[in-house]
Amino acid sequence: MKKAYIVANFKSHKSRLEMETWMETFELLIRQNSIPEHITVVLTPPMPSLMYVANRLLDLSHNIALGVQDISPFSEGAYTGAVSTKNLEGFNLQYAIIGHSERRNYFHEDDDMLAQKVIQAQSTNIQSIFCIQGEETAIPEGVSLVAYEPIFAIGSGHADTPEDANAVAMHTKANSSVESVLYGGSVTAGNVTSFISMEHINGVLVGGASLNAHTFVEIIKKL
Ligand code: PGA
């Protein structure tokens, strides 16, 4: 079985209470269908639910990891509102999504800022899940895990073709330090197998279909 990542990106959805309900349902479901060893699940909850999810994960299988959807480009200091790697110490945080197109678009994050975020992650052994929108996206040095997320496919119900995603993944690996490429953009239980069966695709990043724990577990079961 091919090693595969599945990342849940909850974005700015879910109150703290809704996140609790999601976790309770998720836990129930994965106790019934344990997650196979070849799969790494990464949960990136909204920041106010991070502590709660971190605590729940202490009781769960080791192949479910904690991530964040963004980190500050700065280390600790006078940066009001930003969440630094210092703030995240002690959470057993393993992954950070960096450079999602929604961050680039709505928060005006540019290549320089994203490179700073990657440096912050590297300095604390947090693995970046660096988002690229296509082959032309600049990838900071040392990034080994990338998510290819074409903008037209995000939240649209129109995923890219597996062949196209595979071609971008192959090109990315051939031209950078990247070792693993995930696909993101309208992934569902219905299409996940077609992506994961592609030679150069090492997992998926799931937005909308992760918001319901049942739907998310259905996707995991296909990997
Ligand atoms: P989607 O989002 O699965 O809702 O298309 C993916 C993402 O933006 O990470």
Side-chain angles (χ1 to χ4, degrees):
M1 274 284 178
K2 179 168 144 184
K3 192 170 156 11
Y5 292 91
I6 174 162
V7 183
N9 178 7
F10 296 91
K11 307 194 179 183
S12 296
H13 297 288
K14 297 209 183 291
S15 67
R16 166 68 202 271
L17 203 61
E18 288 167 344
M19 203 61 226
E20 280 184 29
T21 308
W22 189 98
M23 276 306 287
E24 281 162 15
T25 311
F26 178 69
E27 285 181 38
L28 207 70
L29 292 169
I30 60 165
R31 286 194 204 286
Q32 288 160 6
N33 318 268
S34 66
I35 297 174
E37 280 298 314
H38 70 281
I39 296 174
T40 299
V41 178
V42 183
L43 303 180
T44 71
M47 209 52 98
S49 295
L50 194 71
M51 171 87 97
Y52 168 74
V53 175
N55 285 338
R56 297 303 319 151
L57 289 185
L58 294 176
D59 297 338
L60 288 178
S61 138
H62 64 277
N63 54 350
I64 307 174
L66 185 66
V68 285
Q69 300 169 19
D70 180 40
I71 53 169
S72 172
F74 305 110
S75 52
E76 67 177 303
Y79 305 103
T80 301
V83 177
S84 67
T85 49
K86 179 72 180 175
N87 304 143
L88 294 166
E89 271 177 26
F91 280 91
N92 196 19
L93 183 79
Q94 294 180 60
Y95 296 91
I97 298 174
I98 294 179
H100 193 285
S101 57
E102 289 154 10
R103 299 293 315 173
R104 291 177 186 265
N105 194 14
Y106 299 120
F107 300 91
H108 312 295
E109 296 185 356
D110 60 15
D111 291 345
D112 290 344
M113 183 185 280
L114 297 176
Q116 285 306 314
K117 291 183 181 219
V118 168
I119 289 170
Q120 286 300 316
Q122 283 165 345
S123 71
T124 46
N125 286 329
I126 294 170
Q127 178 150 30
S128 305
I129 304 171
F130 191 82
C131 297
I132 62 170
Q133 290 72 50
E135 289 175 356
E136 66 292 344
T137 308
I139 301 173
E141 222 169 286
V143 166
S144 63
L145 177 59
V146 146
Y148 163 55
E149 298 213 314
I151 291 175
F152 70 82
I154 295 179
S156 65
H158 301 289
D160 200 350
T161 63
E163 292 75 17
D164 197 39
N166 190 52
V168 174
M170 186 172 79
H171 178 273
T172 302
K173 288 177 183 177
N175 292 284
S176 67
S177 55
V178 170
E179 287 162 14
S180 303
V181 178
L182 317 184
Y183 168 74
S186 297
V187 171
T188 63
N191 64 17
V192 68
T193 325
S194 63
F195 286 102
I196 211 73
S197 60
M198 290 284 138
E199 184 183 352
H200 294 287
I201 296 184
N202 307 97
V204 286
L205 200 157
V206 187
S210 71
L211 296 176
N212 177 304
H214 287 272
T215 320
F216 186 58
V217 170
E218 281 311 305
I219 300 178
I220 296 175
K221 281 168 36 189
K222 302 270 172 148
L223 295 175

